Structures are given as C-alpha cells and as structure tokens.
Amino acid sequence: MPTVNSRRGYDSRSRRAAAEKTREAILEAARERLLAQGYPATTVALIAADAQVSVETIYKSFGGKPGLVRAIYDRGLRGSGPEAAFDRSDALRQHAADAQSLMLTWGRLTAEVAATLTPILLLVRSAAASDANMAELQEQSSAERLERMQHNARFLQERGYLREDVSFDEAVDVMWLHSSPELYELLVLQRGWSAERFARYVAESMAGALVHRAPPRP
C-alpha cells in the first residue's frame, strides 16, 4: 500500500503534468490564432476560448498577450527536438570532425529553428511598429541572435577553422545574416524552398564565406 508521502508525490507530479498540458494547449491556441489573425486583432478572450480555459488562467500564467508572444518565441527558439537546439549545437560542435561537418550541423539546426521561429518573428516585426512590447521583443531577439553568433564565431576562431582573411567581426556578420528570419522568409516562405535545400544552402554559403572549402552535400 502506498504511503502518504508517495501519494503526495504522485499527486504533485500529476498536477505538474496537467499544468504543463494546459500551458502547451494555450500556447498552441495562441500561436494559431495570432498567425491567422495578426497581433492587433487577436484578443486574450479569443485565445482562451480556443484553448478552453478561462481568461484569468491566461493572465495568471502569462500576464496577457505580450507574455504569450514571448512564451511562443521562447518555445520556437528551442527548435522541434526534445533538447533545445542551442544546447544540441554546443554539444555537437565539440565532436565535429572538421569545419565542414560543423557547418552542415549548423545549417540543419538553423533550418529547424527557423521553421518554428520565423512565423512568430514576422508577426512580432509587423506589430513592433505600433506596440512597444513587440518592439522590445524584436530588439531582444536580434540582440540574442547576435550574441549567439559571436559565441559561434569565437569557437571557429579558437579552433583555427576561420580562413586567414576572415576577421572575427566578419564571421559574426555572415552567421548573423544566415540565421536571420528574413533569409528564411525570402527563400522558404516566398520562393518555396524545402527545409533540406535551405539547410544545405546555409551550410554551403557559410562554409564558402568563412572556412577553407565548402562542405560535401549531405
């Protein structure tokens, strides 16, 4: 027979699981509604109805519509895998055989994150002109991406992967460009490239600009 403490532990885990399920339902409902209707036309009440929760639940969990968008942004930044994309990037680069295989990995991760993150970033960009919260998130996203590319460029430099004629700042800028939502928007969303083609293009373009020879096709 389970003890009182074991029952309490089970109940606690059940409550956490239920809370996480509700949170995910809210975020998915918010994402679908925001992308379908845009930021100004989407209300917390509509999202609550879609997720079958109360308005109060959303405000308590996220603090309103700006908080929802930030949470969706954070979720998209993790990519689609079970482990956050930036953590996988850090782990995989330590085992990369050479610069070319590392670029292939970064190309695939860039495409993966862009697929989940770009639509919400385009929404943020559109809303930023008239909403201070969205303008702040847009600036935050750009700054975080730049910091990440500085981190990656420093790794390339320390490993001796950068070409002699490529400076640290140039490497940062090249990777910052290739990880931009605008590039994914143009090539995938507007020109219809597949994720695989986009990933290969990012890898080959960065390798050609930064390291000694382009990577082989995957």
Side-chain angles (χ1 to χ4, degrees):
M1 182 175 180
T3 65
V4 173
N5 285 339
S6 66
R7 287 199 300 271
R8 286 177 177 172
Y10 176 79
D11 290 342
S12 178
R13 289 193 298 272
S14 296
R15 286 195 297 270
R16 284 197 299 269
E20 182 60 27
K21 184 177 180 180
T22 298
R23 174 184 172 83
E24 286 300 309
I26 292 170
L27 289 178
E28 191 56 34
R31 183 181 185 278
E32 291 180 3
R33 176 69 70 167
L34 284 162
L35 294 182
Q37 289 191 310
Y39 187 81
T42 299
T43 65
V44 173
L46 286 171
I47 295 169
D50 291 343
Q52 299 182 352
V53 299
S54 68
V55 170
E56 290 76 15
T57 295
I58 292 180
Y59 277 104
K60 182 178 179 180
S61 300
F62 300 98
K65 189 163 63 170
L68 277 169
V69 176
R70 284 180 177 272
I72 296 168
Y73 164 80
D74 289 339
R75 187 177 67 163
L77 196 60
R78 294 179 58 85
S80 58
E83 186 180 1
F86 43 82
D87 288 336
R88 280 180 280 147
S89 174
D90 287 347
L92 289 169
R93 74 184 187 182
Q94 298 299 328
H95 301 95
D98 50 43
Q100 287 73 37
S101 61
L102 179 60
M103 290 298 172
L104 285 173
T105 295
W106 280 352
R108 294 188 188 105
L109 288 174
T110 297
E112 177 191 318
V113 172
T116 59
L117 194 60
T118 296
I120 198 66
L121 285 177
L122 297 180
L123 174 89
V124 170
R125 185 182 70 186
S126 177
S130 57
D131 188 279
N133 288 302
M134 294 300 97
E136 180 182 348
L137 180 56
Q138 185 180 36
E139 291 180 6
Q140 173 193 331
S141 172
S142 182
E144 288 176 348
R145 186 164 56 84
L146 182 61
E147 182 179 1
R148 184 69 186 170
M149 296 309 111
Q150 290 169 338
H151 184 61
N152 289 340
R154 190 168 294 108
F155 176 83
L156 293 177
Q157 190 176 60
E158 290 173 351
R159 282 294 179 93
Y161 287 159
L162 286 182
R163 289 204 323 259
E164 291 78 4
D165 60 332
V166 177
S167 69
F168 171 81
D169 287 341
E170 183 178 352
V172 172
D173 291 344
V174 167
M175 289 189 287
W176 192 67
L177 167 68
H178 284 86
S179 61
S180 68
E182 288 79 10
L183 187 65
Y184 186 88
E185 177 189 17
L186 288 171
L187 295 180
V188 178
L189 301 183
Q190 293 191 21
R191 296 301 302 158
W193 282 27
S194 67
E196 292 77 12
R197 184 182 180 188
F198 180 76
R200 186 171 65 245
Y201 169 78
V202 168
E204 292 177 347
S205 294
M206 291 197 305
L210 301 178
V211 300
H212 297 286
R213 63 185 178 85
R217 291 180 180 271

